[in-house]
Amino acid sequence: MEITELGFGGGPLGGLFTPLDDDIAAGALTAAWDHGIRYFDTSPHYGIGHSERRIGGLLSGQPRADFTLSTKVGRLLIPQEPADRLDEAFQVPAAHRRVWDFSRDGIRRSVADSLTRIGVDRIDVLFLHDAEEHFEAALRDGYPALAELRAEGVVGAIGAGMYHTGMLTRLVKETDVDVVMLAGGYTLLSQSALDDLLPACADRGVSVIAASVFQSGVLATPRPRADAHIDYVPATPEGLRKVNRIADVCEAHGVTLPQAAMAFPLRHPVVAGIVVGMRSAAEVQADVAAYQPAGIPAQLWSDLRSEGLLDERAPTD
């Protein structure tokens, strides 16, 4: 299974934080395709199906061999009367409710629903999603269901998408997953995955896709905004000071924070790619312009490490 190093994250297409109309979403997807992005990641959770349907609107018109698609399991979408309510997590009408389900039947139903929403005949990569509070069920029941689907050819590769490095490490060590999607654990701001997950993946031959590389937005601008978030909560003064120190070093080398944030995870040999959430053509264009991993001076990483801003174990060559 191959992916483009820069992948399209479908969370914003579900109306994350603010509403998003179909035309703007379609413009983002078209721009991504036109700029050569061929890996698209989504989930039933993102906008209770909106992200999958919108991504399907683009991909269903493209040759199936020309793109790689990943989606996720763990939540079933149950229809309900929205009654003028918005979904609790995304800015869309509450036409469905989520039910956690990592059982074999629940996963197979979720995959069938996703195939229908997206309009494709197979899923390239299937992840157990956000299983932190349901990990034992995901490991006991969910993983075997994914392995069965892989053996049947319904999906190509299997793994899990989570933020908890310890749980992902256990999954890597105890199962035969192909890939994990790590949210926020190996970024320019935090390298906690060096403690356990990345060494385990290297030992087991498991690939990593790095998500949340902007750490919920604080690394998405040349200087962090005063109201910036880190890991979905308001950044602390200490967190903002650290980001500004990183920005100082970046600026000394003619590099922006977004450029460094996108390039850094890819320097580790087990990281196959990054996924960046995009909601408009303008955001796609900005991210594509910032994606310059080969243009980052090697001295930048050395200087960040010497300033104590980068883990000593992080590959910098």
Side-chain angles (χ1 to χ4, degrees):
M1 193 67 60
E2 295 184 357
I3 63 171
T4 49
E5 281 190 343
L6 176 58
F8 187 101
L13 296 193
L16 183 63
F17 302 131
T18 57
L20 182 69
D21 68 40
D22 288 340
D23 289 342
I24 293 176
L29 287 161
T30 299
W33 188 272
D34 290 346
H35 281 92
I37 294 174
R38 294 295 183 269
Y39 173 43
F40 297 83
D41 175 69
T42 184
S43 168
H45 172 56
Y46 302 154
I48 46 177
H50 276 67
S51 176
E52 287 189 322
R53 284 191 291 270
R54 285 168 165 168
I55 284 179
L58 171 78
L59 298 184
S60 61
Q62 304 297 337
R64 185 62 186 87
D66 287 1
F67 61 86
T68 305
L69 168 71
S70 62
T71 193
K72 307 180 180 78
V73 293
R75 297 174 176 92
L76 288 175
L77 303 184
I78 309 301
Q80 66 179 8
E81 175 55 50
D84 297 324
R85 291 175 292 122
L86 289 179
D87 177 62
E88 70 270 18
F90 294 81
Q91 297 296 302
V92 296
H96 294 80
R97 60 186 177 88
R98 300 170 182 82
V99 175
W100 288 102
D101 194 334
F102 286 98
S103 70
R104 176 184 182 275
D105 289 346
I107 283 175
R108 295 184 78 91
R109 176 180 169 184
S110 181
V111 168
D113 289 347
S114 290
L115 289 171
T116 298
R117 279 190 293 267
I118 303 170
V120 293
D121 60 354
R122 71 179 188 278
I123 293 165
D124 298 306
V125 186
L126 186 64
F127 294 111
L128 300 166
H129 194 197
D130 292 345
E132 282 85 355
E133 301 299 323
H134 309 269
F135 185 71
E136 294 303 326
L139 185 64
R140 181 187 65 247
D141 304 322
Y143 165 72
L146 263 61
E148 186 178 73
L149 289 165
R150 180 178 60 186
E152 294 172 1
V154 178
V155 303
I158 59 173
M162 300 166 58
Y163 65 84
H164 196 291
T165 61
M167 291 179 182
L168 282 175
T169 301
R170 185 177 166 196
L171 185 76
V172 167
K173 289 182 174 181
E174 297 183 13
T175 71
D176 184 30
V177 294
D178 306 293
V179 58
V180 295
M181 180 174 285
L182 175 63
Y186 194 63
T187 71
L188 193 61
L189 191 58
S190 171
Q191 298 94 50
S192 60
L194 288 167
D195 295 336
D196 47 16
L197 179 61
L198 298 188
C201 288
D203 289 343
R204 298 278 292 173
V206 173
S207 295
V208 173
I209 298 172
S212 299
V213 296
F214 294 144
Q215 212 84 48
S216 302
V218 72
L219 301 175
T221 52
R223 287 283 173 174
R225 297 188 301 268
D227 62 348
H229 283 58
I230 297 177
D231 294 336
Y232 299 102
V233 298
T236 64
E238 180 182 357
L240 290 176
R241 280 194 295 271
K242 182 176 181 180
V243 175
N244 275 299
R245 289 180 62 201
I246 295 172
D248 289 340
V249 178
C250 288
E251 288 179 2
H253 291 278
V255 175
T256 67
L257 267 180
Q259 289 172 336
M262 297 175 80
F264 170 73
L266 294 168
R267 302 189 71 79
H268 197 287
V270 304
V271 176
I274 61 173
V275 166
V276 179
M278 311 180 206
R279 62 184 296 121
S280 67
E283 285 192 6
V284 171
Q285 291 159 3
D287 289 334
V288 169
Y291 174 69
Q292 301 178 27
I296 306 297
Q299 190 62 40
L300 168 63
W301 312 118
S302 299
D303 289 352
L304 287 171
R305 190 159 59 181
S306 66
E307 291 287 331
L309 297 170
L310 206 58
D311 193 298
E312 289 284 341
R313 299 166 295 175
T316 57
D317 297 331

